[in-house]
Amino acid sequence: MKVLVVGSGGREHAIVDALSRSPQVDKIYCAPGNAGIASQAECVPIKDTDVAGLKQFAVAQAIDLTVVGPEAALAVGVVDAFREAGLKIFGHTQTATRIESSKEFAKQLMVKYDIPTAAYEAFDDYEQARAYVERKGAPIVLKYDGLAAGKGVVVAMSIEEADAALRDMLLDASFGQGRVVVEDFLTGPEFSLMCFVHGDKVVPMPVAQDHKRAYDGDKGPNTGGMGAYTRMPFITDEDIAEAMKHVMLPTAKAMVAEGCPLSGVLYGGLMKTPDGVKVIEFNARFGDPETEVVLPLMDSDICDTFMGIATGEEFAAPVWSDDATLGVVLASKGYPGSYDKGFVIGGVESLSAKTYHMGTARRESGELVTAGGRVMIVVARAATLAEAHTYVAKEIEKIECENLFHRNDIGYQAFKK
Ligand code: AMP
Ligand code: GLY
């Protein structure tokens, strides 16, 4: 089989790596890919949202299966276009992707179908939003309605902070002309439950936890994710069963009932609150960096799962290893603010742990250099999470680069006594 992966981050590197373990796959292309992916796939310079370009390439190369990483590609309708052309593709249609691309669509769906989430109201008028916030009090959560590259959520601890965010989102329209969802503040540990979905069939992957803040102790600004791990002792099998029964399955059924069935990955960003598991957000794709720690544990052939869903045929539940994984992101100093690029990265070849590249480039001389905010993730796998934690720390020491930083406490909630 010839497979095309769409995207260019650590998530896509992990997908390419999983596909490269499949005996069915002869050739992998990645559009546009990155310097790390280039060692396992042929990178083609087509943007992930260039639907016409991607389709033309898939037809010309007789691609058997396309797998879409980023939501932006799904949101512009790459799946719809491929299906119209009779091409097999793994991912949701444009209308199904609204479960991620529109916060208000997702919230309305949850209310209509009784899926547990924080109470909310949506506003496009600043004065009305401000009055609602004053009535509700702080802490309170404000979410810009639309794709905002992970920066559209403000957890305001005071009314003043909430007001500043509302002004930013509704009066200054920093993200564009959109609405704002204002919702109750929930508490409890967060976890990511990614499921393979086709119609009303939903199959879970191992749960993972992301770390969004830049520095140790969950301090500092929000980022695209500074690390993740699998095997969470405080999320029990009962919690997962509850999440499947009350959140993931009813959501898949609701999307069928609404005429926009899911076909791909449904990512539940969930919180175990004192009143049970509730939805913080849905994503219509694999999580990043969760994918980088989850897919290495798949023991079965990922191609079977992708193909089963892309063709709408029955697909068997994947088989997973019982091992634990822990991934630490190496980011450019200054990220998520401004940072410099082009610093040489040495020592990567000497690692025994997996490395998935996020923002690297290769100079003509062959040197690997930094080329993004998040540069790469080092993923250690071991029998226990504690072993994976020790292992990853040793592996990171082998990487030589003067402009990188990383968190040292990934997985700390699992080690708390
Ligand atoms: P999101 O970008 O939707 O993942 O939100 C970013 C982060 O904001 C989440 O990971 C949570 O930590 C926090 N958050 C979002 N919604 C709520 C809520 N209703 N209550 C408490 N924290 C929230
Ligand atoms: N790790 C969070 C996300 O993929 O949106």
PDB file of all heavy atoms in Angstrom, residues 103 107 117-119 139-143 149-155 183-188 190 210 212-213 222 267 269-271 279-283, ligand 1:
ATOM      1  N   LYS A 103     -17.058  25.752  19.197  1.00  0.00           N
ATOM      2  CA  LYS A 103     -17.321  25.446  20.618  1.00  0.00           C
ATOM      3  C   LYS A 103     -18.832  25.447  20.873  1.00  0.00           C
ATOM      4  O   LYS A 103     -19.335  24.656  21.660  1.00  0.00           O
ATOM      5  CB  LYS A 103     -16.679  26.504  21.524  1.00  0.00           C
ATOM      6  CG  LYS A 103     -15.177  26.596  21.414  1.00  0.00           C
ATOM      7  CD  LYS A 103     -14.481  25.743  22.442  1.00  0.00           C
ATOM      8  CE  LYS A 103     -12.976  25.940  22.392  1.00  0.00           C
ATOM      9  NZ  LYS A 103     -12.219  24.740  22.701  1.00  0.00           N
ATOM     10  N   LYS A 107     -21.161  22.546  22.426  1.00  0.00           N
ATOM     11  CA  LYS A 107     -21.916  22.756  23.666  1.00  0.00           C
ATOM     12  C   LYS A 107     -23.410  22.484  23.445  1.00  0.00           C
ATOM     13  O   LYS A 107     -24.058  21.839  24.264  1.00  0.00           O
ATOM     14  CB  LYS A 107     -21.724  24.197  24.174  1.00  0.00           C
ATOM     15  CG  LYS A 107     -20.351  24.498  24.740  1.00  0.00           C
ATOM     16  CD  LYS A 107     -19.961  23.621  25.912  1.00  0.00           C
ATOM     17  CE  LYS A 107     -20.224  24.206  27.257  1.00  0.00           C
ATOM     18  NZ  LYS A 107     -19.651  23.412  28.362  1.00  0.00           N
ATOM     19  N   THR A 117     -21.280  18.290  30.848  1.00  0.00           N
ATOM     20  CA  THR A 117     -20.296  19.345  30.605  1.00  0.00           C
ATOM     21  C   THR A 117     -20.656  20.546  31.470  1.00  0.00           C
ATOM     22  O   THR A 117     -21.709  20.556  32.101  1.00  0.00           O
ATOM     23  CB  THR A 117     -20.270  19.724  29.100  1.00  0.00           C
ATOM     24  OG1 THR A 117     -19.178  20.609  28.859  1.00  0.00           O
ATOM     25  CG2 THR A 117     -21.561  20.390  28.661  1.00  0.00           C
ATOM     26  N   ALA A 118     -19.796  21.554  31.522  1.00  0.00           N
ATOM     27  CA  ALA A 118     -20.065  22.747  32.338  1.00  0.00           C
ATOM     28  C   ALA A 118     -21.226  23.537  31.744  1.00  0.00           C
ATOM     29  O   ALA A 118     -21.341  23.650  30.519  1.00  0.00           O
ATOM     30  CB  ALA A 118     -18.811  23.620  32.387  1.00  0.00           C
ATOM     31  N   ALA A 119     -22.079  24.101  32.627  1.00  0.00           N
ATOM     32  CA  ALA A 119     -23.174  24.961  32.166  1.00  0.00           C
ATOM     33  C   ALA A 119     -22.573  26.188  31.480  1.00  0.00           C
ATOM     34  O   ALA A 119     -21.487  26.639  31.831  1.00  0.00           O
ATOM     35  CB  ALA A 119     -24.021  25.393  33.351  1.00  0.00           C
ATOM     36  N   PRO A 139     -14.133  32.034  39.954  1.00  0.00           N
ATOM     37  CA  PRO A 139     -13.522  31.834  38.631  1.00  0.00           C
ATOM     38  C   PRO A 139     -14.568  31.487  37.570  1.00  0.00           C
ATOM     39  O   PRO A 139     -15.594  30.879  37.890  1.00  0.00           O
ATOM     40  CB  PRO A 139     -12.575  30.652  38.855  1.00  0.00           C
ATOM     41  CG  PRO A 139     -12.575  30.331  40.302  1.00  0.00           C
ATOM     42  CD  PRO A 139     -13.736  31.012  40.916  1.00  0.00           C
ATOM     43  N   ILE A 140     -14.241  31.846  36.352  1.00  0.00           N
ATOM     44  CA  ILE A 140     -15.146  31.583  35.230  1.00  0.00           C
ATOM     45  C   ILE A 140     -14.299  31.372  33.970  1.00  0.00           C
ATOM     46  O   ILE A 140     -13.161  31.850  33.909  1.00  0.00           O
ATOM     47  CB  ILE A 140     -16.168  32.734  35.078  1.00  0.00           C
ATOM     48  CG1 ILE A 140     -17.277  32.365  34.109  1.00  0.00           C
ATOM     49  CG2 ILE A 140     -15.479  34.046  34.675  1.00  0.00           C
ATOM     50  CD1 ILE A 140     -18.645  32.787  34.537  1.00  0.00           C
ATOM     51  N   VAL A 141     -14.853  30.647  32.996  1.00  0.00           N
ATOM     52  CA  VAL A 141     -14.054  30.264  31.829  1.00  0.00           C
ATOM     53  C   VAL A 141     -14.641  30.877  30.562  1.00  0.00           C
ATOM     54  O   VAL A 141     -15.850  30.810  30.348  1.00  0.00           O
ATOM     55  CB  VAL A 141     -13.990  28.718  31.709  1.00  0.00           C
ATOM     56  CG1 VAL A 141     -13.138  28.304  30.516  1.00  0.00           C
ATOM     57  CG2 VAL A 141     -13.426  28.110  32.994  1.00  0.00           C
ATOM     58  N   LEU A 142     -13.793  31.474  29.735  1.00  0.00           N
ATOM     59  CA  LEU A 142     -14.225  32.123  28.494  1.00  0.00           C
ATOM     60  C   LEU A 142     -13.568  31.424  27.315  1.00  0.00           C
ATOM     61  O   LEU A 142     -12.359  31.225  27.308  1.00  0.00           O
ATOM     62  CB  LEU A 142     -13.795  33.596  28.504  1.00  0.00           C
ATOM     63  CG  LEU A 142     -14.114  34.303  29.816  1.00  0.00           C
ATOM     64  CD1 LEU A 142     -13.273  35.536  29.986  1.00  0.00           C
ATOM     65  CD2 LEU A 142     -15.578  34.640  29.890  1.00  0.00           C
ATOM     66  N   LYS A 143     -14.388  31.047  26.342  1.00  0.00           N
ATOM     67  CA  LYS A 143     -13.838  30.333  25.176  1.00  0.00           C
ATOM     68  C   LYS A 143     -14.274  31.018  23.901  1.00  0.00           C
ATOM     69  O   LYS A 143     -15.460  31.134  23.623  1.00  0.00           O
ATOM     70  CB  LYS A 143     -14.339  28.875  25.184  1.00  0.00           C
ATOM     71  CG  LYS A 143     -13.913  28.135  26.423  1.00  0.00           C
ATOM     72  CD  LYS A 143     -14.251  26.657  26.370  1.00  0.00           C
ATOM     73  CE  LYS A 143     -13.634  25.951  27.567  1.00  0.00           C
ATOM     74  NZ  LYS A 143     -13.871  24.502  27.561  1.00  0.00           N
ATOM     75  N   ALA A 149      -6.119  28.259  17.483  1.00  0.00           N
ATOM     76  CA  ALA A 149      -4.777  27.682  17.677  1.00  0.00           C
ATOM     77  C   ALA A 149      -4.451  27.470  19.154  1.00  0.00           C
ATOM     78  O   ALA A 149      -3.356  27.742  19.618  1.00  0.00           O
ATOM     79  CB  ALA A 149      -3.719  28.566  17.015  1.00  0.00           C
ATOM     80  N   GLY A 150      -5.450  26.981  19.903  1.00  0.00           N
ATOM     81  CA  GLY A 150      -5.209  26.645  21.305  1.00  0.00           C
ATOM     82  C   GLY A 150      -5.110  27.851  22.216  1.00  0.00           C
ATOM     83  O   GLY A 150      -4.832  27.728  23.396  1.00  0.00           O
ATOM     84  N   LYS A 151      -5.337  29.056  21.686  1.00  0.00           N
ATOM     85  CA  LYS A 151      -5.161  30.250  22.521  1.00  0.00           C
ATOM     86  C   LYS A 151      -6.496  30.908  22.836  1.00  0.00           C
ATOM     87  O   LYS A 151      -6.555  32.005  23.371  1.00  0.00           O
ATOM     88  CB  LYS A 151      -4.241  31.249  21.821  1.00  0.00           C
ATOM     89  CG  LYS A 151      -2.851  30.664  21.595  1.00  0.00           C
ATOM     90  CD  LYS A 151      -1.878  31.719  21.116  1.00  0.00           C
ATOM     91  CE  LYS A 151      -0.523  31.117  20.840  1.00  0.00           C
ATOM     92  NZ  LYS A 151      -0.472  30.353  19.597  1.00  0.00           N
ATOM     93  N   GLY A 152      -7.590  30.246  22.490  1.00  0.00           N
ATOM     94  CA  GLY A 152      -8.899  30.869  22.646  1.00  0.00           C
ATOM     95  C   GLY A 152      -9.569  30.634  23.979  1.00  0.00           C
ATOM     96  O   GLY A 152     -10.732  30.972  24.138  1.00  0.00           O
ATOM     97  N   VAL A 153      -8.855  30.048  24.967  1.00  0.00           N
ATOM     98  CA  VAL A 153      -9.493  29.749  26.250  1.00  0.00           C
ATOM     99  C   VAL A 153      -8.822  30.548  27.368  1.00  0.00           C
ATOM    100  O   VAL A 153      -7.605  30.541  27.505  1.00  0.00           O
ATOM    101  CB  VAL A 153      -9.393  28.244  26.575  1.00  0.00           C
ATOM    102  CG1 VAL A 153      -9.989  27.946  27.952  1.00  0.00           C
ATOM    103  CG2 VAL A 153     -10.107  27.433  25.502  1.00  0.00           C
ATOM    104  N   VAL A 154      -9.638  31.240  28.157  1.00  0.00           N
ATOM    105  CA  VAL A 154      -9.109  31.975  29.305  1.00  0.00           C
ATOM    106  C   VAL A 154      -9.836  31.495  30.560  1.00  0.00           C
ATOM    107  O   VAL A 154     -11.057  31.542  30.631  1.00  0.00           O
ATOM    108  CB  VAL A 154      -9.298  33.499  29.137  1.00  0.00           C
ATOM    109  CG1 VAL A 154      -8.909  34.248  30.408  1.00  0.00           C
ATOM    110  CG2 VAL A 154      -8.494  34.007  27.950  1.00  0.00           C
ATOM    111  N   VAL A 155      -9.073  30.977  31.518  1.00  0.00           N
ATOM    112  CA  VAL A 155      -9.644  30.618  32.815  1.00  0.00           C
ATOM    113  C   VAL A 155      -9.399  31.831  33.716  1.00  0.00           C
ATOM    114  O   VAL A 155      -8.276  32.069  34.157  1.00  0.00           O
ATOM    115  CB  VAL A 155      -8.975  29.351  33.388  1.00  0.00           C
ATOM    116  CG1 VAL A 155      -9.564  29.002  34.749  1.00  0.00           C
ATOM    117  CG2 VAL A 155      -9.137  28.176  32.426  1.00  0.00           C
ATOM    118  N   GLU A 183     -18.435  29.716  30.397  1.00  0.00           N
ATOM    119  CA  GLU A 183     -18.906  28.526  31.110  1.00  0.00           C
ATOM    120  C   GLU A 183     -18.391  28.431  32.535  1.00  0.00           C
ATOM    121  O   GLU A 183     -17.398  29.063  32.913  1.00  0.00           O
ATOM    122  CB  GLU A 183     -18.601  27.250  30.314  1.00  0.00           C
ATOM    123  CG  GLU A 183     -17.141  26.940  30.150  1.00  0.00           C
ATOM    124  CD  GLU A 183     -16.907  25.601  29.462  1.00  0.00           C
ATOM    125  OE1 GLU A 183     -17.599  25.289  28.477  1.00  0.00           O
ATOM    126  OE2 GLU A 183     -16.016  24.876  29.914  1.00  0.00           O
ATOM    127  N   ASP A 184     -19.091  27.620  33.326  1.00  0.00           N
ATOM    128  CA  ASP A 184     -18.733  27.426  34.731  1.00  0.00           C
ATOM    129  C   ASP A 184     -17.347  26.814  34.846  1.00  0.00           C
ATOM    130  O   ASP A 184     -16.927  26.020  33.995  1.00  0.00           O
ATOM    131  CB  ASP A 184     -19.728  26.473  35.415  1.00  0.00           C
ATOM    132  CG  ASP A 184     -21.089  27.110  35.608  1.00  0.00           C
ATOM    133  OD1 ASP A 184     -21.240  28.301  35.258  1.00  0.00           O
ATOM    134  OD2 ASP A 184     -22.001  26.413  36.102  1.00  0.00           O
ATOM    135  N   PHE A 185     -16.674  27.165  35.932  1.00  0.00           N
ATOM    136  CA  PHE A 185     -15.337  26.643  36.229  1.00  0.00           C
ATOM    137  C   PHE A 185     -15.483  25.283  36.922  1.00  0.00           C
ATOM    138  O   PHE A 185     -16.158  25.173  37.943  1.00  0.00           O
ATOM    139  CB  PHE A 185     -14.625  27.648  37.137  1.00  0.00           C
ATOM    140  CG  PHE A 185     -13.285  27.208  37.631  1.00  0.00           C
ATOM    141  CD1 PHE A 185     -12.187  27.198  36.797  1.00  0.00           C
ATOM    142  CD2 PHE A 185     -13.123  26.835  38.966  1.00  0.00           C
ATOM    143  CE1 PHE A 185     -10.940  26.808  37.272  1.00  0.00           C
ATOM    144  CE2 PHE A 185     -11.880  26.444  39.440  1.00  0.00           C
ATOM    145  CZ  PHE A 185     -10.786  26.430  38.587  1.00  0.00           C
ATOM    146  N   LEU A 186     -14.866  24.256  36.353  1.00  0.00           N
ATOM    147  CA  LEU A 186     -14.924  22.906  36.934  1.00  0.00           C
ATOM    148  C   LEU A 186     -13.579  22.575  37.585  1.00  0.00           C
ATOM    149  O   LEU A 186     -12.554  23.140  37.215  1.00  0.00           O
ATOM    150  CB  LEU A 186     -15.206  21.863  35.852  1.00  0.00           C
ATOM    151  CG  LEU A 186     -16.462  22.031  35.009  1.00  0.00           C
ATOM    152  CD1 LEU A 186     -16.524  20.951  33.930  1.00  0.00           C
ATOM    153  CD2 LEU A 186     -17.714  21.954  35.878  1.00  0.00           C
ATOM    154  N   THR A 187     -13.588  21.629  38.537  1.00  0.00           N
ATOM    155  CA  THR A 187     -12.319  21.220  39.158  1.00  0.00           C
ATOM    156  C   THR A 187     -12.176  19.701  39.141  1.00  0.00           C
ATOM    157  O   THR A 187     -13.178  18.980  39.156  1.00  0.00           O
ATOM    158  CB  THR A 187     -12.231  21.677  40.633  1.00  0.00           C
ATOM    159  OG1 THR A 187     -13.389  21.203  41.317  1.00  0.00           O
ATOM    160  CG2 THR A 187     -12.133  23.177  40.748  1.00  0.00           C
ATOM    161  N   GLY A 188     -10.928  19.249  39.132  1.00  0.00           N
ATOM    162  CA  GLY A 188     -10.627  17.812  39.147  1.00  0.00           C
ATOM    163  C   GLY A 188      -9.525  17.523  38.157  1.00  0.00           C
ATOM    164  O   GLY A 188      -9.172  18.384  37.346  1.00  0.00           O
ATOM    165  N   GLU A 190      -7.573  16.289  34.907  1.00  0.00           N
ATOM    166  CA  GLU A 190      -7.943  16.222  33.491  1.00  0.00           C
ATOM    167  C   GLU A 190      -7.274  15.025  32.836  1.00  0.00           C
ATOM    168  O   GLU A 190      -6.149  14.669  33.186  1.00  0.00           O
ATOM    169  CB  GLU A 190      -7.472  17.480  32.774  1.00  0.00           C
ATOM    170  CG  GLU A 190      -8.288  18.704  33.118  1.00  0.00           C
ATOM    171  CD  GLU A 190      -7.807  19.919  32.341  1.00  0.00           C
ATOM    172  OE1 GLU A 190      -7.923  19.934  31.104  1.00  0.00           O
ATOM    173  OE2 GLU A 190      -7.300  20.844  32.992  1.00  0.00           O
ATOM    174  N   ASP A 210      -1.919  15.378  29.117  1.00  0.00           N
ATOM    175  CA  ASP A 210      -1.108  16.419  28.489  1.00  0.00           C
ATOM    176  C   ASP A 210      -0.681  17.420  29.575  1.00  0.00           C
ATOM    177  O   ASP A 210      -1.323  17.509  30.607  1.00  0.00           O
ATOM    178  CB  ASP A 210      -2.044  17.081  27.470  1.00  0.00           C
ATOM    179  CG  ASP A 210      -1.416  18.195  26.680  1.00  0.00           C
ATOM    180  OD1 ASP A 210      -0.202  18.367  26.759  1.00  0.00           O
ATOM    181  OD2 ASP A 210      -2.173  18.894  25.984  1.00  0.00           O
ATOM    182  N   LYS A 212      -0.056  21.399  29.615  1.00  0.00           N
ATOM    183  CA  LYS A 212      -0.151  22.558  28.710  1.00  0.00           C
ATOM    184  C   LYS A 212       0.728  23.738  29.107  1.00  0.00           C
ATOM    185  O   LYS A 212       1.121  24.526  28.261  1.00  0.00           O
ATOM    186  CB  LYS A 212      -1.606  23.025  28.624  1.00  0.00           C
ATOM    187  CG  LYS A 212      -2.503  22.061  27.848  1.00  0.00           C
ATOM    188  CD  LYS A 212      -3.737  22.767  27.326  1.00  0.00           C
ATOM    189  CE  LYS A 212      -4.498  21.922  26.331  1.00  0.00           C
ATOM    190  NZ  LYS A 212      -5.439  20.989  26.949  1.00  0.00           N
ATOM    191  N   ARG A 213       1.025  23.876  30.413  1.00  0.00           N
ATOM    192  CA  ARG A 213       1.802  25.048  30.838  1.00  0.00           C
ATOM    193  C   ARG A 213       3.283  24.868  30.524  1.00  0.00           C
ATOM    194  O   ARG A 213       3.796  23.745  30.533  1.00  0.00           O
ATOM    195  CB  ARG A 213       1.633  25.291  32.343  1.00  0.00           C
ATOM    196  CG  ARG A 213       0.213  25.550  32.756  1.00  0.00           C
ATOM    197  CD  ARG A 213      -0.315  26.826  32.126  1.00  0.00           C
ATOM    198  NE  ARG A 213      -1.608  27.148  32.687  1.00  0.00           N
ATOM    199  CZ  ARG A 213      -1.885  28.322  33.279  1.00  0.00           C
ATOM    200  NH1 ARG A 213      -0.977  29.268  33.360  1.00  0.00           N
ATOM    201  NH2 ARG A 213      -3.092  28.535  33.751  1.00  0.00           N
ATOM    202  N   ASN A 222       0.285  29.128  28.656  1.00  0.00           N
ATOM    203  CA  ASN A 222      -0.212  27.951  27.952  1.00  0.00           C
ATOM    204  C   ASN A 222       0.587  27.716  26.676  1.00  0.00           C
ATOM    205  O   ASN A 222       0.977  28.657  26.004  1.00  0.00           O
ATOM    206  CB  ASN A 222      -1.679  28.162  27.576  1.00  0.00           C
ATOM    207  CG  ASN A 222      -2.595  27.356  28.459  1.00  0.00           C
ATOM    208  OD1 ASN A 222      -2.306  26.206  28.793  1.00  0.00           O
ATOM    209  ND2 ASN A 222      -3.686  27.950  28.861  1.00  0.00           N
ATOM    210  N   TYR A 267     -11.532  12.961  20.222  1.00  0.00           N
ATOM    211  CA  TYR A 267     -10.674  13.206  21.382  1.00  0.00           C
ATOM    212  C   TYR A 267     -11.533  13.858  22.451  1.00  0.00           C
ATOM    213  O   TYR A 267     -12.073  14.943  22.228  1.00  0.00           O
ATOM    214  CB  TYR A 267      -9.542  14.135  20.927  1.00  0.00           C
ATOM    215  CG  TYR A 267      -8.699  14.789  22.001  1.00  0.00           C
ATOM    216  CD1 TYR A 267      -7.336  14.557  22.070  1.00  0.00           C
ATOM    217  CD2 TYR A 267      -9.242  15.688  22.921  1.00  0.00           C
ATOM    218  CE1 TYR A 267      -6.541  15.188  23.021  1.00  0.00           C
ATOM    219  CE2 TYR A 267      -8.461  16.314  23.878  1.00  0.00           C
ATOM    220  CZ  TYR A 267      -7.123  16.068  23.918  1.00  0.00           C
ATOM    221  OH  TYR A 267      -6.353  16.689  24.859  1.00  0.00           O
ATOM    222  N   GLY A 269     -11.445  15.695  25.821  1.00  0.00           N
ATOM    223  CA  GLY A 269     -10.668  16.374  26.863  1.00  0.00           C
ATOM    224  C   GLY A 269     -11.583  16.387  28.080  1.00  0.00           C
ATOM    225  O   GLY A 269     -12.544  17.147  28.126  1.00  0.00           O
ATOM    226  N   LEU A 270     -11.324  15.490  29.036  1.00  0.00           N
ATOM    227  CA  LEU A 270     -12.290  15.224  30.101  1.00  0.00           C
ATOM    228  C   LEU A 270     -11.748  15.622  31.466  1.00  0.00           C
ATOM    229  O   LEU A 270     -10.527  15.711  31.667  1.00  0.00           O
ATOM    230  CB  LEU A 270     -12.643  13.729  30.103  1.00  0.00           C
ATOM    231  CG  LEU A 270     -13.075  13.139  28.749  1.00  0.00           C
ATOM    232  CD1 LEU A 270     -13.307  11.639  28.868  1.00  0.00           C
ATOM    233  CD2 LEU A 270     -14.323  13.823  28.218  1.00  0.00           C
ATOM    234  N   MET A 271     -12.665  15.853  32.397  1.00  0.00           N
ATOM    235  CA  MET A 271     -12.260  16.174  33.761  1.00  0.00           C
ATOM    236  C   MET A 271     -13.045  15.279  34.707  1.00  0.00           C
ATOM    237  O   MET A 271     -14.251  15.104  34.550  1.00  0.00           O
ATOM    238  CB  MET A 271     -12.539  17.638  34.055  1.00  0.00           C
ATOM    239  CG  MET A 271     -11.868  18.150  35.311  1.00  0.00           C
ATOM    240  SD  MET A 271     -12.264  19.893  35.599  1.00  0.00           S
ATOM    241  CE  MET A 271     -10.888  20.722  34.865  1.00  0.00           C
ATOM    242  N   VAL A 279     -17.096  16.866  30.172  1.00  0.00           N
ATOM    243  CA  VAL A 279     -16.334  17.251  28.985  1.00  0.00           C
ATOM    244  C   VAL A 279     -15.821  18.684  29.128  1.00  0.00           C
ATOM    245  O   VAL A 279     -16.595  19.600  29.402  1.00  0.00           O
ATOM    246  CB  VAL A 279     -17.222  17.171  27.721  1.00  0.00           C
ATOM    247  CG1 VAL A 279     -16.434  17.630  26.489  1.00  0.00           C
ATOM    248  CG2 VAL A 279     -17.764  15.764  27.542  1.00  0.00           C
ATOM    249  N   ILE A 280     -14.523  18.860  28.931  1.00  0.00           N
ATOM    250  CA  ILE A 280     -13.935  20.198  28.837  1.00  0.00           C
ATOM    251  C   ILE A 280     -13.965  20.626  27.367  1.00  0.00           C
ATOM    252  O   ILE A 280     -14.344  21.725  27.037  1.00  0.00           O
ATOM    253  CB  ILE A 280     -12.477  20.201  29.365  1.00  0.00           C
ATOM    254  CG1 ILE A 280     -12.448  19.907  30.871  1.00  0.00           C
ATOM    255  CG2 ILE A 280     -11.781  21.517  29.065  1.00  0.00           C
ATOM    256  CD1 ILE A 280     -13.032  20.997  31.738  1.00  0.00           C
ATOM    257  N   GLU A 281     -13.558  19.728  26.501  1.00  0.00           N
ATOM    258  CA  GLU A 281     -13.590  20.021  25.067  1.00  0.00           C
ATOM    259  C   GLU A 281     -13.531  18.723  24.284  1.00  0.00           C
ATOM    260  O   GLU A 281     -13.070  17.697  24.780  1.00  0.00           O
ATOM    261  CB  GLU A 281     -12.399  20.899  24.657  1.00  0.00           C
ATOM    262  CG  GLU A 281     -11.058  20.202  24.866  1.00  0.00           C
ATOM    263  CD  GLU A 281      -9.891  20.805  24.083  1.00  0.00           C
ATOM    264  OE1 GLU A 281     -10.108  21.680  23.244  1.00  0.00           O
ATOM    265  OE2 GLU A 281      -8.762  20.363  24.321  1.00  0.00           O
ATOM    266  N   PHE A 282     -14.011  18.813  23.048  1.00  0.00           N
ATOM    267  CA  PHE A 282     -13.811  17.725  22.103  1.00  0.00           C
ATOM    268  C   PHE A 282     -12.844  18.193  21.021  1.00  0.00           C
ATOM    269  O   PHE A 282     -12.870  19.354  20.623  1.00  0.00           O
ATOM    270  CB  PHE A 282     -15.126  17.348  21.408  1.00  0.00           C
ATOM    271  CG  PHE A 282     -16.055  16.519  22.244  1.00  0.00           C
ATOM    272  CD1 PHE A 282     -17.355  16.953  22.484  1.00  0.00           C
ATOM    273  CD2 PHE A 282     -15.645  15.305  22.781  1.00  0.00           C
ATOM    274  CE1 PHE A 282     -18.229  16.178  23.244  1.00  0.00           C
ATOM    275  CE2 PHE A 282     -16.515  14.528  23.545  1.00  0.00           C
ATOM    276  CZ  PHE A 282     -17.813  14.973  23.773  1.00  0.00           C
ATOM    277  N   ASN A 283     -12.026  17.272  20.534  1.00  0.00           N
ATOM    278  CA  ASN A 283     -11.253  17.525  19.327  1.00  0.00           C
ATOM    279  C   ASN A 283     -11.619  16.457  18.307  1.00  0.00           C
ATOM    280  O   ASN A 283     -11.998  15.342  18.674  1.00  0.00           O
ATOM    281  CB  ASN A 283      -9.745  17.502  19.608  1.00  0.00           C
ATOM    282  CG  ASN A 283      -9.315  18.694  20.457  1.00  0.00           C
ATOM    283  OD1 ASN A 283      -9.840  19.794  20.311  1.00  0.00           O
ATOM    284  ND2 ASN A 283      -8.387  18.470  21.361  1.00  0.00           N
TER     285      ASN A 283
HETATM  286  P1  AMP B   1      -8.952  23.938  26.040  1.00  0.00           P
HETATM  287  O1  AMP B   1      -8.119  24.810  25.143  1.00  0.00           O
HETATM  288  O2  AMP B   1     -10.403  23.934  25.753  1.00  0.00           O
HETATM  289  O3  AMP B   1      -8.336  22.578  26.204  1.00  0.00           O
HETATM  290  O4  AMP B   1      -8.824  24.589  27.489  1.00  0.00           O
HETATM  291  C1  AMP B   1      -7.572  24.836  28.027  1.00  0.00           C
HETATM  292  C2  AMP B   1      -7.587  24.489  29.472  1.00  0.00           C
HETATM  293  O5  AMP B   1      -8.481  25.351  30.164  1.00  0.00           O
HETATM  294  C3  AMP B   1      -8.104  23.103  29.781  1.00  0.00           C
HETATM  295  O6  AMP B   1      -7.141  22.118  29.616  1.00  0.00           O
HETATM  296  C4  AMP B   1      -8.506  23.254  31.235  1.00  0.00           C
HETATM  297  O7  AMP B   1      -7.387  23.135  32.067  1.00  0.00           O
HETATM  298  C5  AMP B   1      -9.011  24.669  31.278  1.00  0.00           C
HETATM  299  N1  AMP B   1     -10.486  24.682  31.216  1.00  0.00           N
HETATM  300  C6  AMP B   1     -11.256  24.727  30.106  1.00  0.00           C
HETATM  301  N2  AMP B   1     -12.567  24.711  30.434  1.00  0.00           N
HETATM  302  C7  AMP B   1     -12.629  24.663  31.790  1.00  0.00           C
HETATM  303  C8  AMP B   1     -13.697  24.640  32.753  1.00  0.00           C
HETATM  304  N3  AMP B   1     -14.977  24.691  32.384  1.00  0.00           N
HETATM  305  N4  AMP B   1     -13.354  24.583  34.055  1.00  0.00           N
HETATM  306  C9  AMP B   1     -12.058  24.577  34.445  1.00  0.00           C
HETATM  307  N5  AMP B   1     -11.016  24.604  33.608  1.00  0.00           N
HETATM  308  C10 AMP B   1     -11.292  24.644  32.285  1.00  0.00           C
END
